Amino acid sequence: MPKFQPFPSLFAGLVIGLLLLITSQFLVSLTHLRDVNERGHSADKLRVALLLEGPTYDQGWNSSALESMTELQKKLGFSLEVAGNLKPEQIQETAAKYAKNNYDLVLGHGGIFSAPFTEVARSFPNTRFVSFNGEAPYPNQTTIRYDMKPAGHLVGMLAAKMSRTGKVGYIVVDKPHEYAQVEGFREGVRKASPKTTVIVGKASDFNDVAGAVQITRQMIDQGVDVIYTTGDSFNLEVITEAQRAKVYTIGYIADQRFIAPDYVLASMTQDLRQCYRTIMEQFTENRLPSGKVTYGLGEGVNKLSPMGPMVPQKIREEIMQELNFLLK
């Protein structure tokens, strides 16, 4: 009768057990990889950088971006790094720094980021670069564009209807992508009041506070009594300056009626929460398109805020009627 040998049997059992464990782990890994490929990125593992040209406290374009991304971070659980007050010459180096540190998504909050991102994107294909109002030639780039002409049209009608002097002003940043809204504004003014004069003042960039305030004073001296201001960092100062002269303004990006409740007629807001919500959802699901993506009134990204109490009910109804027409 053969003698029982426990150790070889135990060893064989251990080997078989280890093989089963390794096989199981391998199958789990394959399943995980398949799920990642199907679902996209895992939000709680994402590393996201938000790059801002101006300060985070401007009560407009930059602060709205930070608030939107902070809210989404709490909901989705990704890590978020913020770099603000970036000068143009700093952008390319900053974007490259985040890409080298394996950030999955770098968001440049403005058109100024598109060209530097293009310089960096080709060298870092595993990082997605998203900017606004620029070009996006590489597969790992997306640029968000706003269809601002209808928004300008609507605001132009409001400005013309609320003007008593027949002179309205538009403070625009002297950038090519800003002029579609100016054209829409002129059209809206003409439709509401063909005899109303439109005076356009050009600021050098979105942070040109001194220039924008000077333009405001010049417009007021010329008899303008409604000013639409579409800056990022200078809207607060423009609205405050106009309030001192008892001149109406129309805000931009955020609902800015709180700055001067008796003098801000309304604001053409950009729902950055909705914009960034769409970006983050599509990115985590591998559905974020490359190239140019356009949003506007129809997509709910551009919205006219509630109007102030100084706007008569008849004008409110006329503006809402025009909005419904533009949405058709």
Side-chain angles (χ1 to χ4, degrees), residues 71-127:
E71 182 179 292
L72 286 167
Q73 180 193 23
K74 292 176 182 177
K75 179 180 178 181
L76 300 177
F78 55 83
S79 69
L80 178 65
E81 183 78 15
V82 180
N85 283 313
L86 291 175
K87 295 180 173 58
E89 61 271 18
Q90 296 176 310
I91 294 174
Q92 185 172 331
E93 181 182 353
T94 303
K97 179 191 74 173
Y98 286 116
K100 287 176 183 176
N101 281 284
N102 299 315
Y103 274 70
D104 301 285
L105 180 63
V106 178
L107 301 167
H109 192 59
I112 196 171
F113 294 93
S114 294
F117 279 9
T118 298
E119 294 297 320
V120 174
R122 182 169 55 181
S123 301
F124 299 98
N126 294 325
T127 298

Side-chain angles (χ1 to χ4, degrees), residues 19-38:
L19 287 173
L20 289 173
L21 180 61
I22 292 170
T23 302
S24 175
Q25 290 178 335
F26 177 70
L27 291 173
V28 169
S29 297
L30 284 179
T31 302
H32 174 71
L33 288 172
R34 183 195 65 202
D35 290 344
V36 168
N37 287 332
E38 289 177 355

Side-chain angles (χ1 to χ4, degrees), residues 133-160:
N133 297 320
E135 301 299 323
Y138 294 110
N140 59 327
Q141 279 185 276
T142 300
T143 182
I144 308 299
R145 296 193 170 200
Y146 287 97
D147 183 10
M148 296 307 302
K149 187 174 179 179
H153 176 100
L154 194 67
V155 171
M157 286 195 69
L158 176 60

Side-chain angles (χ1 to χ4, degrees), residues 52-58 61-62 84-88 91 109 112-113 172-175 203-213 230-235 237-238:
L52 304 172
E53 180 185 4
T56 60
Y57 52 81
D58 62 357
W61 178 249
N62 295 294
N85 283 313
L86 291 175
K87 295 180 173 58
I91 294 174
H109 192 59
I112 196 171
F113 294 93
V172 63
V173 176
D174 193 14
K175 305 288 183 182
S204 61
D205 61 54
F206 292 101
N207 298 305
D208 185 11
V209 174
V213 170
T230 59
D232 292 351
S233 299
F234 58 67
N235 268 19
E237 288 80 3
V238 167

Side-chain angles (χ1 to χ4, degrees), residues 208-279:
D208 185 11
V209 174
V213 170
Q214 182 63 29
I215 292 169
T216 304
R217 292 169 179 165
Q218 291 171 352
M219 286 183 173
I220 293 170
D221 289 342
Q222 294 176 71
V224 168
D225 63 348
V226 180
I227 298 173
Y228 183 35
T229 174
T230 59
D232 292 351
S233 299
F234 58 67
N235 268 19
L236 177 63
E237 288 80 3
V238 167
I239 291 170
T240 302
E241 185 68 26
Q243 179 185 219
R244 293 193 186 102
K246 302 187 184 309
V247 165
Y248 289 139
T249 51
I250 299 173
Y252 189 54
I253 303 296
D255 186 350
Q256 298 181 319
R257 288 174 301 152
F258 71 94
I259 299 174
D262 294 330
Y263 292 97
V264 178
L265 301 174
S267 296
M268 177 52 65
T269 68
Q270 291 186 353
D271 190 346
L272 290 172
R273 283 177 174 80
Q274 178 61 34
C275 179
Y276 277 117
R277 188 181 302 119
T278 301
I279 291 171

